[in-house]
Structures are given as structure tokens and as C-alpha cells.
Amino acid sequence: MAGIYIHIPFCKQACHYCDFHFSTTMGKKEEMLQAISMELVLRKSEFANTNVETIYFGGGTPSVLDTEEINQLIETVYAHYAVTKDPEITLEANPDDLSILKINQLAASKVNRLSIGVQSFFEDDLKLMNRAHNAAEAESSIAEASTYFSNISIDLIYGIPGMSNKKWLQNIQRALSFGLPHISSYALTVEPKTALEKFIKKGEIAPVKDSVAQEHYKILVKELAKEGFVNYEFSNFGKPEFFSKNNTAYWLGKKYIGVGPSAHSFDGEKRSWNINNNPKYIKAITKGEFPREIEELSVVDRYNEYVMTGLRTIWGVSVSKVEKDFGKDYVAYLKKEAASKIEKGLLEFRDNALFVTEKGKFLSDGIAADLFIVNM
């Protein structure tokens, strides 16, 4: 099984924290969608013997597209790829795009999962982040979408400057009140060259504190566990049967094709990524060329990536898989480097796999980096 990721590089406005590739100018939207469709056709041979299990519209803001434009891209996939009987087809959407009419149209399409970028139910947080929607739109979009879609996820951001534990708890409780089956939650991160970084440097916004984010994460894990959510990946919480198939495939190392500017792909042995320039992307694809860079992954690269992703998930790092895919020397290295983390209560071995403990969960990326092989 494999997946297709479709990057829609358009947004109504720029969020202050975002460093993804997008444009707030949609004058080239028609040419862009034609190029994305063409790339899908040009790359169909990569999945000649592979069934597509997931189609994921990310961005940017895919919900700025008309439903007919979304349908045309889905039909292009169906026309040129072998798609499983019941694929997971996800659309990332902003609350301000989800009018009653739009939700009705999407419900009549092949899209069967919505990922709604709420981020916060508080007006001041949304203004700080420069979100295009307001708190009322956040709530009304979820309520309306829930009458048509059973598989809905929302995004929430924690660690926002000025957000108290009490306020964060209220955010979580408001999210839970809708009876959603999936929540993705991320710490606010200050990325280079973003508006957020500039405002913090100028003293216009208070600095982001790791200690606050860590406390918020603990609250998040505790509250969602009470409601039956499984923290199946560090930032993702789902009810049983509602884990994101698309994201799970990434973490388990399955193949995927990414189309559109800046989109990444993985075929099991190498990664590639398209140019993050809209005019250059359109020009190259129109000529039948692939505007991308390719990185061949060494055995060490693949081992390090497996350790990184494995420790973020409930599946952990399987010793049997490490031995099968990389060899006994890698198992010995893993166990040796993990020993000190186990003594500190940050890692544990069980069921022939390595896992982060509750104590180590918020530090999982740093712990993984300490287990990496730098030279072999």
C-alpha cells in the first residue's frame, strides 16, 4: 500500500508562525492545478504495481480550492493509479472556508476525512497567530462538518505566549465537547525568517518557552487519555479505528508520492522534493520535466530515520526489524546507546522493542538523536 500527497500552495493570508511553502496570490491557480494534474500523470509509473490507500490534500490551504477543482484532482488519481476500494481521502481545511454549502459539496465528493486547522478557540490566540478565521467560525465549522463527516481531526497549538494552563485546558475541553475522533496538537515553534520570529526579536510578542509547552503537553496527554484517545504518535491522538492512515504510513516507512511545489516523496530507498517556487514548478512540469532534488539514503540514514520515527510512535523501535533490515551490529549499537537512557527512566525495552517512557516522551526527538549513528 502507498499514498499520494497533493500540495496546494495557496493561502488567504500568512500565519505568523508558518514556514511552509505557499503564496497568498492565486492568480496562477488554474495553471498550478493543471501542472499538479500533469505531474500526477507523469509519475504514474512509480506506482505501477502499487495500490494507493490514501490521498492527502495539504498545503498551504487546500480548502481555498473549489470543490470541483478538488474533485478533478481526485479523478486524475483514479484515472491513472490503482486505488483501493475504500481509500482515506483527507482534505486540510480552514474554518473560514467551511461554509454550509462547501461542507455539503465536500460531503458529496470522495473526500471522507477533514483535518480542520482550528489551532485555538480563543480570539486573542488566533489574532496573535494571524489566522484567517475567528473563534466563532472555528466552532460553527466543526459543528456543521460533524453532521456530514464521521472522520474529522482538528489541529490545536499549545505553548502560545501568555497561554496559562487553565486556558489550555479550556481549549482541550472545548475540542472534546464536539465528540471528535482525532486531534493533532503541536507546540508553537519559532521558525527562522517567520513573522513570529521577527515580532519576538522586537519584543512585540513574548518568547516561546519550552517549559510551558512541556507542561501543556502533559495536560494534553492526561486529558485525552481520560476520553479514550490513543497517543499513537507524539503529536497525534486518535480513537481506535481513527488513526490517520496517511500519517501512519509515513511513520512506518511506506512509499508515497508528493506532487506540487515543495512536496516530498519517498520510495523506500531515496527521498525527493520538488522545487518550492511556483512559476519554476509550473514551467518545468509543463515541459514534462521533474523540478526536484533526490537524496539516496544510506543504510545509516535509513536506520537513523527509523529510530527517529519509531520512538515517536506507540509501535516503538522493533529490535527484530533493526536486525532484519540493518544487521546485528546495529542492534548491538542501539542497545549500548540506549542503556544510559533506560537507567534514567527515559526509555524502556518491552516486547522486544524500544519505547520512550512517559517521562521521556516530550524529549523523544532529542533522545532519538542521541541514538543516531554518525559514522559507521
Side-chain angles (χ1 to χ4, degrees):
M1 298 294 183
I4 292 178
Y5 170 81
I6 301 174
H7 187 83
I8 305 300
F10 301 114
C11 289
K12 289 180 178 177
Q13 64 188 50
C15 298
H16 288 160
Y17 57 87
C18 184
D19 70 340
F20 291 161
H21 174 67
F22 66 92
S23 170
T24 54
T25 301
M26 287 184 266
K28 297 282 186 181
K29 187 177 74 166
E30 184 176 343
E31 293 95 322
M32 175 60 70
L33 296 180
Q34 289 174 349
I36 290 174
S37 291
M38 187 175 294
E39 186 183 0
L40 282 168
V41 176
L42 290 171
R43 298 182 64 181
K44 64 182 181 180
S45 62
E46 295 178 34
F47 278 2
N49 301 307
T50 305
N51 290 328
V52 173
E53 187 179 25
T54 63
I55 302 170
Y56 191 99
F57 287 86
T61 311
S63 57
V64 300
L65 298 185
D66 297 335
T67 306
E68 183 55 38
E69 293 169 332
I70 295 168
N71 287 338
Q72 288 173 358
L73 290 172
I74 294 173
E75 290 309 316
T76 299
V77 174
Y78 269 79
H80 298 279
Y81 294 80
V83 181
T84 56
K85 182 180 179 182
D86 296 305
E88 177 188 88
I89 303 180
T90 302
L91 179 81
E92 289 184 354
N94 277 358
D96 49 299
D97 293 323
L98 292 177
S99 64
I100 294 176
L101 175 61
K102 186 68 165 282
I103 291 170
N104 271 271
Q105 291 173 338
L106 290 172
S109 74
K110 285 187 170 68
V111 172
N112 52 30
R113 184 175 184 270
L114 292 181
S115 178
I116 305 176
V118 172
Q119 316 311 356
S120 176
F121 290 101
F122 289 94
E123 207 68 53
D124 58 333
D125 294 336
L126 298 173
K127 289 180 179 178
L128 181 148
M129 293 184 282
N130 199 40
R131 296 292 294 171
H133 68 277
N134 58 42
E137 288 172 325
E139 298 198 17
S140 63
S141 66
I142 299 171
E144 185 66 25
S146 295
T147 64
Y148 295 92
F149 289 86
S150 60
N151 198 352
I152 297 176
S153 177
I154 65 168
D155 288 351
L156 292 176
I157 290 180
Y158 57 88
I160 298 172
M163 178 182 279
S164 65
N165 288 353
K166 179 181 178 181
K167 186 178 180 182
W168 173 233
L169 180 59
Q170 290 174 329
N171 247 335
I172 296 170
Q173 291 172 338
R174 190 68 190 114
L176 291 172
S177 71
F178 292 98
L180 302 170
H182 193 281
I183 294 174
S184 295
S185 193
Y186 309 92
L188 182 65
T189 304
V190 184
E191 300 293 350
K193 300 179 181 180
T194 59
L196 179 61
E197 181 190 51
K198 181 177 71 174
F199 294 144
I200 290 175
K201 285 182 176 179
K202 287 184 176 181
E204 297 175 13
I205 294 178
V208 173
K209 297 181 180 179
D210 286 345
S211 58
V212 172
Q214 185 168 359
E215 191 66 26
H216 286 178
Y217 184 72
K218 289 179 180 178
I219 294 170
L220 177 71
V221 171
K222 179 181 178 181
E223 293 302 313
L224 294 191
K226 289 179 184 177
E227 299 300 321
F229 283 83
V230 179
N231 185 196
Y232 67 102
E233 190 273 342
F234 181 84
S235 301
N236 287 270
F237 302 77
K239 293 289 184 69
E241 307 301 322
F242 284 96
F243 296 178
S244 167
K245 292 181 181 179
N246 175 80
N247 293 347
T248 298
Y250 292 161
W251 303 317
L252 295 181
K254 295 185 179 181
K255 299 177 181 180
Y256 59 91
I257 289 176
V259 299
S262 82
H264 286 233
S265 303
F266 176 62
D267 69 0
E269 296 183 350
K270 56 183 179 294
R271 296 195 179 279
S272 64
W273 54 94
N274 288 343
I275 191 171
N276 61 349
N277 180 294
N278 288 2
K280 290 182 179 179
Y281 168 81
I282 292 170
K283 184 177 180 180
I285 292 295
T286 301
K287 291 181 178 178
E289 300 171 354
F290 294 128
R292 60 181 173 177
E293 293 184 47
I294 297 175
E295 177 189 13
E296 295 280 349
L297 298 178
S298 67
V299 175
V300 169
D301 290 334
R302 289 189 282 115
Y303 166 82
N304 288 345
E305 287 198 6
Y306 175 57
V307 170
M308 171 66 81
T309 56
L311 287 183
R312 290 180 63 95
T313 72
I314 60 171
W315 301 286
V317 177
S318 166
V319 173
S320 297
K321 179 175 173 60
V322 171
E323 182 172 348
K324 177 185 175 184
D325 293 353
F326 309 108
K328 292 183 178 180
D329 289 344
Y330 285 80
V331 173
Y333 180 88
L334 176 67
K335 290 183 176 180
K336 177 173 71 71
E337 296 301 316
S340 63
K341 308 293 184 186
I342 293 173
E343 288 180 7
K344 294 176 181 177
L346 301 174
L347 292 175
E348 63 179 345
F349 267 117
R350 52 184 165 82
D351 301 324
N352 202 34
L354 184 66
F355 301 87
V356 291
T357 61
E358 285 301 315
K359 179 181 177 181
K361 187 174 285 188
F362 193 78
L363 308 171
S364 59
D365 286 351
I367 293 170
D370 289 341
L371 303 182
F372 287 173
I373 295 174
V374 179
N375 293 301
M376 178 175 270

